[in-house]
Amino acid sequence: TERLYLRQLEINDALRMSEYRDKKEVAQYQSWTHYSLDDALRRIKQCQLIKSYNQPKTDYHLAIVLKNNNILIGDLFVEIINKKVFVLGYTLDSQYWSYGYATEIVNAFISYMKDTYQFKKVICYAYADNVRSIKLLKRLGFMKFDESYYYNDVGYIKKIR
């Protein structure tokens, strides 16, 4: 995009990734409560093994980076369900909330997946109390399709046109 770009995570991103993912306000809306340097290193190494970004039953993270200073501000999680549907998640350092970065990169990535691999649907999940994320999804045209009382999350889906 004009302000951001995506790239593969690199080993030297591990410290920065663990820093923002370990913040209480960031972890509050994720599946973890603590995110260590070892957690980041392990996940980055797994992601580096991925050879195809559209292979069903694979998942990976991509680095979200500011163009003007090359700072890692977050990451996208992608899980390929099948040749038509993928799941997308996003984690941004709280320092970069409310600047429109998540909207910008999520929208751009969905377009990329449609144009490059012809995906037809994208699914996102958010905790029911994550008001910011739910507003973002609705703003981008996602519709609620599921609710989990066990995980206290809500599923949103978007047909990609």
Side-chain angles (χ1 to χ4, degrees):
T1 69
E2 191 175 306
R3 302 183 297 167
L4 305 167
Y5 67 92
L6 290 173
R7 63 166 169 75
Q8 282 189 301
L9 283 164
E10 301 165 354
I11 293 297
N12 61 2
D13 292 325
L15 180 60
R16 176 76 184 107
M17 185 180 190
S18 67
E19 287 171 351
Y20 68 79
R21 282 176 155 242
D22 200 42
K23 289 183 175 182
K24 183 180 178 184
E25 65 272 20
V26 174
Q28 171 183 352
Y29 297 117
Q30 301 291 349
S31 60
W32 60 85
T33 54
H34 173 66
Y35 206 86
S36 69
L37 179 58
D38 284 343
D39 292 330
L41 284 167
R42 189 171 30 260
R43 185 61 185 150
I44 290 169
K45 287 176 184 176
Q46 289 171 339
C47 291
Q48 289 179 334
L49 298 174
I50 300 296
K51 302 293 185 227
S52 172
Y53 292 117
N54 69 332
Q55 187 63 41
K57 300 186 191 292
T58 60
D59 64 78
Y60 53 89
H61 285 84
L62 295 168
I64 304 171
V65 181
L66 286 174
K67 272 187 179 175
N68 65 351
N69 58 14
N70 290 323
I71 291 178
L72 175 67
I73 66 166
D75 58 87
L76 284 184
F77 167 77
V78 183
E79 180 182 2
I80 306 301
I81 303 299
N82 59 47
K83 293 286 186 187
K84 305 269 187 223
V85 181
F86 69 98
V87 174
L88 183 62
Y90 41 87
T91 304
L92 250 61
D93 184 338
S94 56
Q95 178 182 342
Y96 298 95
W97 290 356
S98 301
Y99 293 100
Y101 293 130
T103 300
E104 187 174 321
I105 204 68
V106 166
N107 203 31
F109 188 73
I110 291 170
S111 292
Y112 168 81
M113 294 296 274
K114 173 189 164 268
D115 296 343
T116 305
Y117 301 115
Q118 292 72 50
F119 279 94
K120 302 293 184 198
K121 292 180 185 175
V122 57
I123 297 171
C124 292
Y125 292 92
Y127 284 116
D129 62 345
N130 190 344
V131 176
R132 288 172 185 249
S133 192
I134 291 171
K135 282 183 180 178
L136 180 155
L137 295 171
K138 288 180 178 179
R139 189 169 48 251
L140 291 178
F142 282 78
M143 302 296 292
K144 181 177 168 182
F145 78 95
D146 191 22
E147 238 176 289
S148 167
Y149 295 101
Y150 183 76
Y151 293 109
N152 194 30
D153 65 357
V154 183
Y156 285 84
I157 192 165
K158 178 179 179 166
K159 290 182 181 178
I160 306 171
R161 302 184 195 283

